[in-house]
Amino acid sequence: MQSDKTAASMEVEEAIPANTKPVIKPNFKPLTAHEISDGQVQFRKIYIPRHRYTPIKKAWMDIYTPIYDQMKVDIRMNVKTRNVEMMTRRDTPDISNLQKCADFVHAFVLGFDVIDAIALLRMDELYVDSFEIKDVKTLKGEHLSRAIGRLSGKGGKTRFAIENSTKTRIVIADSKIHILGSFANIKIARDSLCSLILGSPAGKVYSKLRAVTARLAERF
């Protein structure tokens, strides 16, 4: 019985040659963004409204340079259709760069400064949230004007206070409000703005902001 076992083990040992080489795994290079999309060109266009046409003309080089040089995305202004058109190139490092560039231009069109909007190219967690005053409370005539005045404050004091404490940027365009920042910070800023629209005095909103920002500072 034992001799049969030893014979079987010898057969197994003989079946595996002694000079076997280790299996070498193939080392493939990572695919480029152009290869991932099967060589297809990705395309985006953003319409420029009439009132933002002059500002985009003046700030064109500030918008064009980071998009073309850093993000490796082609960009042009179509004067006939009044659209900013963007498309990927062969050397575009990441497909998501195109959407980042589209968000950057869209933020500028909404009224944000180039210095603030360019953060959308560099940080992944930022986005723009928009809402209207009528979404919070239906106001008309002088009531609407007073609500917009409460949001801005004297010389923009209230808006600056909310921006600085929540690390966001706010644009108040008539009855539309746009907020640029991270998810948590946008929520705090939006809650403060909604309180002002509903009629809360600025002092009460400031004290609430101080408490919330202190809590956030402790968490991080």
Side-chain angles (χ1 to χ4, degrees):
M1 190 74 177
Q2 284 183 347
S3 62
D4 292 342
K5 282 182 181 178
T6 52
S9 64
M10 283 177 71
E11 284 175 11
V12 171
E13 285 174 5
E14 285 173 5
I16 302 167
N19 59 346
T20 52
K21 293 180 181 179
V23 178
I24 299 166
K25 291 181 180 179
N27 185 20
F28 295 114
K29 289 181 181 179
L31 293 172
T32 61
H34 190 70
E35 289 169 338
I36 289 169
S37 58
D38 296 328
Q40 293 179 347
V41 174
Q42 302 287 324
F43 190 80
R44 295 280 188 286
K45 63 180 179 180
I46 293 110
Y47 177 71
I48 308 299
R50 191 172 293 174
H51 69 283
R52 295 300 291 169
Y53 199 64
T54 305
I56 206 167
K57 264 186 180 179
K58 289 178 180 175
W60 180 249
M61 286 313 295
D62 295 330
I63 294 166
Y64 174 87
T65 307
I67 289 176
Y68 187 82
D69 293 341
Q70 295 168 22
M71 306 302 281
K72 310 288 186 196
V73 171
D74 281 339
I75 177 170
R76 72 172 184 179
M77 180 74 197
N78 192 327
V79 182
K80 286 184 180 178
T81 59
R82 290 205 168 186
N83 285 323
V84 171
E85 298 173 350
M86 288 173 278
M87 65 180 188
T88 53
R89 310 193 316 230
R90 277 188 168 274
D91 58 339
T92 304
D94 194 353
I95 292 174
S96 65
N97 283 10
L98 183 64
Q99 188 57 47
K100 283 181 184 177
C101 295
D103 292 339
F104 166 51
V105 175
H106 181 62
F108 181 81
V109 170
L110 290 176
F112 293 98
D113 292 333
V114 175
I115 301 164
D116 298 327
I118 206 166
L120 288 163
L121 298 179
R122 292 170 184 160
M123 299 175 78
D124 291 332
E125 66 270 14
L126 297 184
Y127 74 103
V128 176
D129 186 33
S130 302
F131 67 97
E132 290 190 48
I133 290 173
K134 68 179 181 183
D135 297 337
V136 182
K137 191 179 182 182
T138 307
L139 298 168
K140 290 178 183 178
E142 287 185 10
H143 297 290
L144 179 61
S145 303
R146 279 199 291 272
I148 294 166
R150 277 200 303 276
L151 292 173
S152 297
K154 189 178 180 181
K157 182 185 168 187
T158 307
R159 180 169 66 89
F160 291 140
I162 295 170
E163 282 182 345
N164 293 333
S165 57
T166 58
K167 295 176 185 173
T168 57
R169 287 290 173 268
I170 299 165
V171 168
I172 300 166
D174 195 18
S175 63
K176 290 182 181 177
I177 299 158
H178 312 290
I179 311 170
L180 168 66
S182 64
F183 180 79
N185 293 343
I186 283 175
K187 187 180 184 302
I188 298 163
R190 192 173 58 230
D191 290 345
S192 302
L193 292 168
C194 290
S195 299
L196 288 166
I197 292 166
L198 292 168
S200 294
K204 196 174 181 182
V205 173
Y206 290 157
S207 58
K208 197 175 178 182
L209 261 178
R210 273 195 292 271
V212 172
T213 48
R215 209 178 303 140
L216 272 176
E218 285 174 8
R219 192 184 299 173
F220 298 108

